[in-house]
Amino acid sequence: MAELVSFTVPTESDKTLLVWELSSGPTAEALRHSLFAVFSQFGLLYSVRVFPNAAVARPGFYAIIKFYSARDAHRARKACDQKQLFQNSPVKVRLGTKHKAVQHQALALNSSQCQELANYYFGFNGWSKRIIKLQDLSDLEERANEDTVPPLQKQSLKFFCALEVVLPSYECRSPGAGMAEEPLDTLEEGPLSFLMKRRTIQKLAIQKAVSDAFQKLLIVILESGKIAVEYRPCEEITDASTEDELQDLIQFPAPVPHSPVSLRPGASASHVPAAPVGPTACPYVATVVAAGPGSSASGVGPGPCPADRRPHGAG
């Protein structure tokens, strides 16, 4: 069965591991580094958090580890439960407890986390971003001359960015938009401080646009270990006061109606042709093309797909 990995904060119980019976000798930070070194062998980690045991329990620590992939979390639990790992006594590893009554709202990953996830599954050269528009919306001089602006209202720096994330091996492009604003006190800001803040707001707008673009993509991990991509346009546009405001700033080509999963006739999920590469990709088409062996979607750098990376002793 294929697994879907989104560019959102993992909250599912089957992606969360509880590790306890950790010794009290090392510090919490040292344990975190040791746990990361062990469990990152099974897949990309979202977080590793270490906590001291409750006062009623014996001295020691426990940890909560979150994976992006449930498949990786299951393999890690099977391989590490009741094993010594990096200490003299064995640790216990269990999957998180499922609470049906609790529904978590999906939270978008930030720009750096999105890029880390993309690098892991697509490779460093398997994707790129192209800035379409970076516009300054501050209009400081015009706002200062407007009589309608209240005297006590502070000016602000405001930038809008529109870009697209391109995955050439999958013939997929995902548009994203972001807006960043920061209050500006002209009485306290010097020229150098103003330029630094301006550059920071520009960078923040780009980061928000990158995150927004990745929210429209789903990583599909097939049973064979191959990676596919699904494009799903979002109904809501983030980082903008209104949808009309964004549409006035930038117009994206409308997505072409397409089946969520597109495979060659006669092909199955276990045998998918290599993804074509070239300039013929139609922008913003919701399509899935699985990567073939040796493509840029085989993980970080050369080697097997991340789903096939297994440390010694893994199940």
Side-chain angles (χ1 to χ4, degrees):
M1 183 177 180
E3 179 184 3
L4 302 180
V5 177
S6 63
F7 288 85
T8 57
V9 176
T11 58
E12 299 89 340
S13 58
D14 58 354
K15 297 181 180 180
T16 304
L17 293 183
L18 175 63
V19 183
W20 72 98
E21 299 291 348
L22 296 172
S23 61
S24 59
T27 63
E29 185 64 20
L31 283 174
R32 193 187 72 83
H33 284 288
S34 298
L35 289 167
F36 183 88
V38 171
F39 285 91
S40 61
Q41 299 178 65
F42 299 91
L44 187 63
L45 302 179
Y46 170 74
S47 65
V48 177
R49 303 172 63 189
V50 178
F51 305 92
N53 290 340
V56 295
R58 63 181 180 181
F61 296 89
Y62 70 95
I64 297 177
I65 301 175
K66 289 184 177 291
F67 284 82
Y68 286 102
S69 165
R71 187 177 302 176
D72 294 340
H74 280 266
R75 291 194 298 109
R77 186 207 63 79
K78 184 177 179 180
C80 297
D81 186 32
Q82 300 297 332
K83 301 295 174 56
Q84 293 181 346
L85 301 181
F86 48 81
Q87 62 184 33
N88 296 327
S89 57
V91 301
K92 294 182 180 180
V93 183
R94 296 290 186 273
L95 286 172
T97 304
K98 187 175 183 180
H99 299 283
K100 295 183 178 180
V102 179
Q103 295 183 352
H104 299 279
Q105 182 180 3
L107 299 176
L109 296 176
N110 61 38
S111 174
S112 61
Q113 292 168 331
C114 287
Q115 294 179 66
E116 181 184 33
L117 189 58
N119 289 338
Y120 185 80
Y121 283 104
F122 306 139
F124 288 100
N125 298 321
W127 68 277
S128 63
K129 69 175 182 287
R130 183 176 73 90
I131 296 179
I132 299 173
K133 190 171 187 177
L134 182 61
Q135 184 173 349
D136 185 357
L137 303 179
S138 305
D139 297 331
L140 297 178
E141 294 183 359
E142 295 181 9
R143 288 184 58 185
N145 296 329
E146 289 181 357
D147 297 334
T148 58
V149 177
L152 298 180
Q153 181 176 342
K154 290 186 178 180
Q155 297 178 343
S156 63
L157 286 173
K158 188 176 183 180
F159 276 88
F160 166 80
C161 177
L163 52 75
E164 63 178 6
V165 169
V166 183
L167 287 79
S169 296
Y170 302 91
E171 293 188 314
C172 182
R173 300 179 183 180
S174 179
M179 192 175 295
E181 186 175 7
E182 180 73 18
L184 180 67
D185 193 336
T186 55
L187 297 179
E188 298 179 0
E189 301 289 343
L192 181 59
S193 177
F194 174 82
L195 291 177
M196 293 180 62
K197 180 169 288 189
R198 176 185 172 89
R199 184 178 182 87
T200 300
I201 301 305
Q202 284 180 334
K203 185 177 180 180
L204 183 58
I206 295 173
Q207 291 175 344
K208 288 185 175 183
V210 168
S211 177
D212 181 56
F214 274 114
Q215 300 313 305
K216 303 175 179 69
L217 298 177
L218 271 180
I219 301 171
V220 184
I221 306 176
L222 305 176
E223 289 186 3
S224 61
K226 295 180 180 179
I227 304 299
V229 174
E230 179 182 350
Y231 172 76
R232 50 171 191 176
C234 300
E235 297 181 357
E236 297 182 357
I237 300 179
T238 58
D239 297 326
S241 55
T242 63
E243 182 176 349
D244 293 336
E245 182 178 0
L246 284 186
Q247 292 179 346
D248 292 339
L249 293 171
I250 188 69
Q251 293 288 339
F252 286 113
V256 179
H258 202 285
S259 172
V261 178
S262 177
L263 300 177
R264 185 182 63 185
S268 63
S270 60
H271 182 72
V272 186
V277 182
T280 59
C282 182
Y284 319 130
V285 175
T287 183
V288 172
V289 182
S295 72
S296 60
S298 59
V300 180
C305 168
D308 295 332
R309 292 177 181 169
R310 302 190 181 188
H312 297 293

